[in-house]
Amino acid sequence: MTIQMLRLMRNALFAIALIAPGIQAAEGKGPRKTLTIGISQFPASFHPLIESMLAKSYILAMTLRPLTIYDAKWKLVCLLCTQLPTFENGLAKKVELGKGKTGVELTYTIHPKATWGDGTPVTTKDFIFTWKVGKHPLSAVGAVELFRRILKIVPNGPKSFTLTYDRVTFNYNEMSGLMPLPAHLEAGPFKRPRDYKDLTTYNTNPTNSGLYFGPYRISQLVRGAYVVLERNPTWYGKKPFFQRIVVQVIPNGASLEANLLAGGIDYIAGELGVTVDQALSMQQRFGSQFKFVYKPGLIYEHIDLNLKHVALRDIRVRQALIYAIDRQKISKALYAGRQKVADSMIHPLDPHFAKGIKTYRYNPRKAAALLDAAGWKLKGRWRHKDGRRLRITIMTTARDRARELVEQILQSYWRDIGIDARIRNQQARVFFGVTVSERKFPAMAMFAWLSAPGSVPRSTLHSSMIPSKENNFRGQNYTGFVDKEMDKLIDQAEVALDAEKRRRIFRRIQEIYVTKLPVIPLYYRAAPFVLPKWLHGVVPTGHQYSSTNWVEHWYAK
Amino acid sequence: MIAFIARRLLGTFVLLLIMSFVIYALIGLMPGDPIDIAINADPNMTPEDAKRLKAIYGLDQPIVSRYLAWLSSALQGDFLFSRLHNQPVFDVIMPHLWRTILLMTISFVLATAIAIPLGVWAAARPRTWADYTVNLFCFAGKSMPAFWLGLLLILLFAVQLRAFPASGFETVGDGSVGDVLWHLFLPVLALTLLNIAGITRFMRGEMIGVLRQDFIRTARAKGLSNRGVLYGHALRNAMIPIITILALEFGGLFSGALITEIVFGYPGMGKLIFDAILGSDFNLAQAVLLFTTLVTLLANLGADVTYAAVDPRISYS
């Protein structure tokens, strides 16, 4: 019986192996009309405003376009609008709102040919509807600040409207969060605002062509597995090269790599694919087969220092911690120098980056001297003060291999100057959900911030943003940093319209940041794009607006 | 027998009720929730937004009142919406369940069909090269991490030979039976190899024990053929513990194989359960965990009933 069964199995395997290559070869023939992209996550929802998720914005950027966006050169441009409103061109005007408050009126014109996939034009009505959804307290929209700040939207016709914003900020005309919803499809589900998150057409029928007006529309999807995007015939811009784009979800770096090598996918998205170390390892082995692009981005890896800690209250100890670590060497050893060492929280590509501010290079002698000066003297292996050992705990997200590796290297550097650094990691939901957000980390918390170009660091550095039980844990100033000058500068930065003045303010903000050092800057994370040699036109941005916002410029050659 | 089954079914219902609260409480007791994580991922989200969203999703309510609300809906047949998928729970589960049943059943049947004769074959030749080879294979299979074996198979069959796809469950736009089977080949192979090892070890061990017993010697003395002794007498007696093991494995058919699913990008129940628990998707986690609990309990009941069929000495009243 056993031998018969084995024979049967052998024959079956042989038959499958014979037909299998034929199936694959049939797929590979003909001109390239399909591009298959591998990403590591499947979106929870396709609604543009509900749930903030990178996988969702990556896919939706091929199907929808916001009014404005930061391009790959980090410059604010129109995508759905025809002209950016400015004070100079008269499309932006300051208005008195009463009680001494000043706002701004902004006039936007929607692209005249912008049309939803079912043939309905994209109009002012859609924007007014979107605003109503966005500000409704029961609509489950995450970031509603933008919608709250818009006081009114007045239509000037089907394709133009003027909105009133409740304040004048330096980025007053940036409306990247204003992604229109199709009122003709969504008004029905929104009649029950509390259930809207479940009833929205983006969830009940995501392949409805009327939901999209971008170069592609979602034509097919299997949740957790893949999304198929077909060219949208109503798209008003450049005709995309690829007839079809398939976004395949493979939640594992090694499997993504195997799929790329096996031809299951053509391209690993830099925004949501493999880590830098995985890409470097791939490049070593298969460098000649693919193009590797490492785009330095706005993801700022850093260590928040809890300034309640007895030793970390002293600025000399904080400086000693950074002098004791060789960040250049870490970046070179682990990431082949692809992750640029950060000198402050502002990225060098950001227009507000200040050159020539204080930097910290590896200097263990200086670190030791600073600790001596602070009263932490070496006794045996460790430093002590008032009978207490200099012990600090560093925490990060468990199972993040890259961060855990960096932690161990840092621990060894600090041990060399007599600091007893202990590692204690937690699951992301506990780490971010409680430990960091409620400032329960005893000394150091290592994580990353993702921000937009030109962001004002109010939530992370203003003294009113220190989370506590009294303010219901409002704010992200987890270090507990208090500096009156910094508070004043942040208030000024938000409303400084003059670019030169704003640069001066940001320079001072960065000077205080690196001098007082509430945070140890580590590096800016790079996004590794692994592209086939025949794919052209993909321009990584380095910020949170993904390269797919310009997917119509991608082509095969 | 009927009274026995009725009693067991009643016990199953009570156990499910207790389990439903335990599962709900365990997920609820984990610190932090998805909204807390969202606020760290989205620099534009304010703490006020987080508070509002928690109220919308009911995360601001005490765990007991949330559980009672869920229970009341569940008893009326409504398992509510999945927060992570923004879909009714059943709509989320069904495609994953179907794919898991397909993957796991094929590998379970194959593994059982190969492992039982292999175990018997090895037990009939104790301390021979054949036995040592089977043992070596079993130890290797038990010690091999699933992700490692999966990646090796991908490297060999998908990258080198290009004979089978490295991941997924169907070619986009195809989905024919042949295409699905083609995609299933590697994950089924990985799971089958891993499962064969365990079942073969048990089978071999049980058979060796039974083959030492007096009634086997009597059967041989009566002049029965070796095949008749092995399959007619020894195997039937060795099957009782194997049935228990197979019943326990049967529960796993519906809960998926997390690592294999991740490595092969196969959207099944394993990953669904994992994400639901970590993402505090109470409605989804409750439904899938209770379902797998129910299947395991029913499989055990099935095993108990099967004992009586296999061993005439066992009867229920």
Side-chain angles (χ1 to χ4, degrees):
Chain A
M1 188 172 92
T2 315
I3 292 168
Q4 278 173 343
M5 203 175 286
L6 287 172
R7 271 191 198 141
L8 190 70
M9 276 185 64
R10 188 196 61 190
N11 293 341
L13 290 180
F14 188 64
I16 294 172
L18 274 178
I19 59 160
I23 298 170
Q24 203 166 51
E27 279 186 335
K29 283 177 187 169
R32 284 186 202 285
K33 289 180 180 170
T34 301
L35 174 71
T36 306
I37 308 173
I39 64 171
S40 56
Q41 202 180 47
F42 195 88
S45 161
F46 285 98
H47 192 288
L49 308 179
I50 295 172
E51 299 250 10
S52 168
M53 214 171 169
L54 194 50
K56 184 185 76 176
S57 48
Y58 185 82
I59 295 169
L60 281 189
M62 296 187 252
T63 66
L64 293 166
R65 294 292 153 88
L67 263 186
T68 67
I69 199 165
Y70 284 98
D71 67 9
K73 292 174 185 161
W74 297 30
K75 196 180 155 216
L76 190 66
V77 293
C78 263
L79 268 195
L80 182 55
C81 59
T82 54
Q83 193 180 9
L84 269 184
T86 63
F87 293 114
E88 291 74 27
N89 66 20
L91 293 172
K93 284 177 192 158
K94 283 186 190 174
V95 282
E96 291 307 318
L97 300 172
K99 295 180 183 173
K101 285 185 80 179
T102 309
V104 61
E105 277 182 358
L106 302 158
T107 300
Y108 290 94
T109 301
I110 305 162
H111 195 287
K113 287 184 182 170
T115 309
W116 297 102
D118 59 2
T120 311
V122 179
T123 64
T124 304
K125 270 185 189 171
D126 296 318
F127 279 93
I128 294 172
F129 172 73
T130 307
W131 173 53
K132 280 181 185 164
V133 172
K135 67 178 182 156
H136 198 288
L138 295 176
S139 67
V141 172
V144 299
E145 196 59 22
L146 169 73
F147 301 102
R148 262 192 235 121
R149 287 182 179 187
I150 297 172
L151 298 176
K152 60 178 176 181
I153 299 182
V154 178
N156 306 318
K159 287 281 186 179
S160 172
F161 60 87
T162 300
L163 66 80
T164 308
Y165 205 60
D166 74 346
R167 64 198 70 191
V168 188
T169 60
F170 71 90
N171 55 350
Y172 60 89
N173 50 6
E174 195 247 300
M175 288 292 150
S176 309
L178 203 51
M179 186 87 88
L181 301 171
H184 65 293
L185 294 177
E186 290 292 274
F190 191 61
K191 281 180 183 158
R192 288 163 60 192
R194 181 173 279 282
D195 299 322
Y196 177 62
K197 63 178 170 37
D198 301 324
L199 300 178
T200 168
T201 321
Y202 284 99
N203 287 335
T204 56
N205 185 14
T207 55
N208 185 325
S209 61
L211 296 171
Y212 311 105
F213 62 83
Y216 291 92
R217 61 186 177 80
I218 295 176
S219 62
Q220 195 188 341
L221 68 98
V222 173
R223 288 184 190 275
Y226 62 78
V227 178
V228 182
L229 300 121
E230 304 277 355
R231 270 191 209 143
N232 178 9
T234 66
W235 165 241
Y236 55 89
K238 187 185 173 197
K239 189 181 174 186
F241 176 89
F242 295 104
Q243 207 165 19
R244 195 159 81 142
I245 290 184
V246 179
V247 180
Q248 190 101 38
V249 178
I250 302 163
N252 175 277
S255 302
L256 270 171
E257 179 184 329
N259 271 277
L260 186 72
L261 296 172
I265 55 172
D266 299 314
Y267 157 47
I268 299 179
E271 288 90 345
L272 205 64
V274 291
T275 56
V276 171
D277 53 323
Q278 283 170 333
L280 286 167
S281 150
M282 277 179 75
Q283 193 173 7
Q284 274 180 352
R285 288 172 290 141
F286 313 106
S288 59
Q289 294 177 38
F290 303 97
K291 285 188 284 186
F292 289 81
V293 178
Y294 299 86
K295 179 69 182 176
L298 266 176
I299 302 177
Y300 169 50
E301 281 284 347
H302 64 278
I303 302 171
D304 267 16
L305 304 174
N306 192 335
L307 302 181
K308 282 189 296 191
H309 187 277
V310 65
L312 297 179
R313 272 184 223 142
D314 191 326
I315 195 166
R316 290 168 296 186
V317 176
R318 305 203 291 266
Q319 288 178 331
L321 284 171
I322 193 167
Y323 273 126
I325 56 174
D326 192 343
R327 293 171 297 159
Q328 300 282 359
K329 200 170 173 182
I330 296 174
S331 170
K332 208 172 166 187
L334 297 184
Y335 309 111
R338 303 287 187 183
Q339 305 220 122
K340 195 178 157 43
V341 169
D343 290 320
S344 80
M345 74 294 192
I346 310 275
H347 193 281
L349 287 175
D350 193 296
H352 299 134
F353 175 73
K355 282 182 188 163
I357 56 162
K358 186 180 175 69
T359 54
Y360 294 88
R361 293 290 167 258
Y362 178 55
N363 191 340
R365 279 189 185 179
K366 199 164 183 175
L370 280 163
L371 289 176
D372 284 337
W376 294 97
K377 304 285 185 189
L378 207 55
K379 281 182 195 162
R381 191 176 174 184
W382 307 114
R383 288 181 180 272
H384 293 79
K385 184 180 176 181
D386 303 328
R388 184 195 292 230
R389 184 193 287 184
L390 180 47
R391 181 181 289 167
I392 47 172
T393 305
I394 181 164
M395 301 182 76
T396 191
T397 43
R399 294 194 308 151
D400 185 323
R401 205 164 56 91
R403 279 190 186 144
E404 287 178 337
L405 201 55
V406 171
E407 261 183 335
Q408 288 167 31
I409 298 170
L410 295 177
Q411 185 186 37
S412 135
Y413 274 123
W414 287 324
R415 188 172 47 222
D416 290 346
I417 59 161
I419 297 174
D420 181 8
R422 304 285 175 98
I423 293 172
R424 206 174 84 209
N425 296 337
Q426 292 176 333
Q427 281 286 339
R429 56 176 286 161
V430 182
F431 181 68
F432 291 121
V434 179
T435 308
V436 172
S437 60
E438 295 183 11
R439 299 186 68 217
K440 285 184 176 166
F441 57 102
M444 299 196 277
M446 180 162 74
F447 59 100
W449 283 123
L450 172 64
S451 55
S455 289
V456 177
R458 171 173 288 279
S459 71
T460 53
L461 291 173
H462 200 281
S463 64
S464 64
M465 291 289 168
I466 301 172
S468 65
K469 206 171 180 181
E470 292 68 42
N471 69 6
N472 199 21
F473 298 105
R474 180 173 186 267
Q476 292 158 322
N477 184 348
Y478 302 133
T479 64
F481 181 65
V482 180
D483 187 280
K484 280 185 182 169
E485 190 187 356
M486 179 66 91
D487 290 351
K488 209 171 138 189
L489 289 164
I490 288 170
D491 293 339
Q492 288 171 356
E494 280 183 336
V495 293
L497 295 176
D498 177 62
E500 195 43 50
K501 186 182 173 192
R502 205 163 59 242
R503 260 194 288 275
R504 281 200 303 275
I505 295 169
F506 267 91
R507 165 171 279 278
R508 185 67 194 132
I509 286 175
Q510 287 165 86
E511 281 170 355
I512 297 172
Y513 188 79
V514 297
T515 314
K516 305 241 168 130
L517 217 62
V519 171
I520 296 179
L522 291 176
Y523 36 74
Y524 298 105
R525 218 188 280 169
F529 291 73
V530 188
L531 303 129
K533 290 198 166 171
W534 49 262
L535 180 62
H536 301 270
V538 179
V539 183
T541 63
H543 50 63
Q544 83 266 45
Y545 304 110
S546 66
S547 53
T548 45
N549 277 289
W550 295 272
V551 69
E552 63 272 28
H553 300 290
W554 297 7
Y555 61 97
K557 197 168 84 176
Chain B
M1 177 69 93
I2 290 169
F4 167 77
I5 293 173
R7 271 202 312 275
R8 287 286 298 267
L9 284 175
L10 187 67
T12 301
F13 177 74
V14 175
L15 195 60
L16 276 180
L17 207 60
I18 296 167
M19 279 301 291
S20 71
F21 182 72
V22 170
I23 294 166
Y24 211 92
L26 281 176
I27 300 171
L29 283 173
M30 284 199 288
D33 63 49
I35 309 297
D36 292 324
I37 295 173
I39 200 168
N40 278 282
D42 187 349
N44 299 317
M45 199 190 277
T46 63
E48 287 75 20
D49 294 336
K51 200 175 168 186
R52 181 177 51 82
L53 287 175
K54 282 186 186 191
I56 289 174
Y57 288 106
L59 294 167
D60 58 341
Q61 297 294 313
I63 192 92
V64 175
S65 44
R66 269 191 279 163
Y67 169 73
L68 290 175
W70 173 84
L71 187 64
S72 144
S73 295
L75 288 173
Q76 293 169 56
D78 179 6
F79 285 84
L80 305 172
F81 264 70
S82 154
R83 194 195 57 75
L84 283 181
H85 298 263
N86 292 293
Q87 300 274 312
V89 161
F90 267 110
D91 290 358
V92 177
I93 293 177
M94 288 322 285
H96 287 80
L97 182 63
W98 165 238
R99 287 191 287 263
T100 291
I101 289 174
L102 199 62
L103 169 70
M104 303 297 280
T105 308
I106 295 175
S107 59
F108 179 75
V109 170
L110 278 176
T112 311
I114 296 167
I116 290 180
L118 196 63
V120 173
W121 187 71
R125 295 158 182 79
R127 297 197 197 95
T128 62
W129 279 109
D131 186 31
Y132 292 142
T133 310
V134 170
N135 267 334
L136 183 71
F137 168 78
C138 292
F139 281 119
K142 284 304 278 181
S143 353
M144 212 182 301
F147 74 90
W148 187 75
L149 176 65
L151 288 175
L152 275 190
L153 293 176
I154 289 174
L155 277 177
L156 177 65
F157 288 102
V159 178
Q160 296 298 328
L161 301 176
R162 295 221 167 193
F164 296 99
S167 75
F169 68 97
E170 64 177 23
T171 305
V172 174
D174 189 336
S176 61
V177 176
D179 181 62
V180 171
L181 288 176
W182 182 50
H183 278 81
L184 271 170
F185 182 81
L186 289 184
V188 163
L189 181 61
L191 279 174
T192 306
L193 287 174
L194 294 171
N195 288 337
I196 284 175
I199 302 172
T200 306
R201 283 284 303 155
F202 278 115
M203 194 69 237
R204 179 190 167 278
E206 283 304 318
M207 278 295 283
I208 283 179
V210 172
L211 285 171
R212 283 184 192 139
Q213 292 192 14
D214 291 343
F215 72 91
I216 295 291
R217 203 176 305 128
T218 311
R220 286 192 200 281
K222 272 164 53 186
L224 267 180
S225 68
N226 193 40
R227 195 186 175 88
V229 171
L230 283 177
Y231 291 101
H233 289 258
L235 179 60
R236 199 166 175 188
N237 281 278
M239 277 309 280
I240 291 179
I242 299 297
I243 287 170
T244 313
I245 289 156
L246 294 180
L248 289 173
E249 295 269 333
F250 189 77
L253 294 188
F254 302 89
S255 55
L258 176 65
I259 308 289
T260 311
E261 286 173 19
I262 288 176
V263 170
F264 291 102
Y266 191 88
M269 291 288 278
K271 183 82 171 44
L272 188 74
I273 296 172
F274 182 75
D275 289 342
I277 293 171
L278 280 193
S280 293
D281 191 342
F282 286 85
N283 297 340
L284 183 58
Q286 277 287 86
V288 289
L289 289 173
L290 283 181
F291 176 71
T292 50
T293 309
L294 176 67
V295 171
T296 308
L297 292 172
L298 291 180
N300 275 300
L301 176 60
D304 288 345
V305 173
T306 316
Y307 292 154
V310 173
D311 189 343
R313 290 169 298 179
I314 299 172
S315 65
Y316 299 106
S317 56

